[in-house]
Amino acid sequence: ITKIGKNTMALLDQIDIKILQALQNNAKVNMKELSAELNISKTPVYERVKRLEEEGYIRNYVALVDNKKVGLLQCFAGGAQR
């Protein structure tokens, strides 16, 4: 366990890292699929995900929108492009 300011945060192990990688790849994955992928039961996976959220390793779950499909401009240093 590492002490950071007033909060204590557990160090990440390989399972935590695999959970983060899986969620980064697909944040909509359910606990059943995730536990099968990691070869551990659902309850420990759920508890780890909750801990990762509470400790701030997972800040949010977001949708990545395809800007071209919704007609949004992409801004670059040299100007806007579609």
Side-chain angles (χ1 to χ4, degrees), residues 18-37:
K18 287 179 181 179
I19 289 170
L20 292 173
Q21 289 171 334
L23 290 172
Q24 206 166 23
N25 187 46
N26 178 9
K28 290 178 68 173
V29 66
N30 64 45
M31 292 300 134
K32 182 179 179 181
E33 295 168 335
L34 191 52
S35 66
E37 184 179 327

Side-chain angles (χ1 to χ4, degrees), residues 18-81:
K18 287 179 181 179
I19 289 170
L20 292 173
Q21 289 171 334
L23 290 172
Q24 206 166 23
N25 187 46
N26 178 9
K28 290 178 68 173
V29 66
N30 64 45
M31 292 300 134
K32 182 179 179 181
E33 295 168 335
L34 191 52
S35 66
E37 184 179 327
L38 299 172
N39 201 29
I40 56 177
S41 64
K42 289 186 289 190
T43 301
V45 171
Y46 175 80
E47 290 171 351
R48 283 173 177 262
V49 169
K50 275 301 191 200
R51 180 180 55 79
L52 291 167
E53 291 170 344
E54 290 169 359
E55 292 179 355
Y57 291 103
I58 299 172
R59 295 187 323 212
N60 203 357
Y61 297 89
V62 299
L64 299 177
V65 177
D66 186 325
N67 290 340
K68 289 181 183 177
K69 288 189 179 190
V70 295
L72 296 176
L73 295 175
Q74 294 180 344
C75 294
F76 297 97
Q81 285 188 330

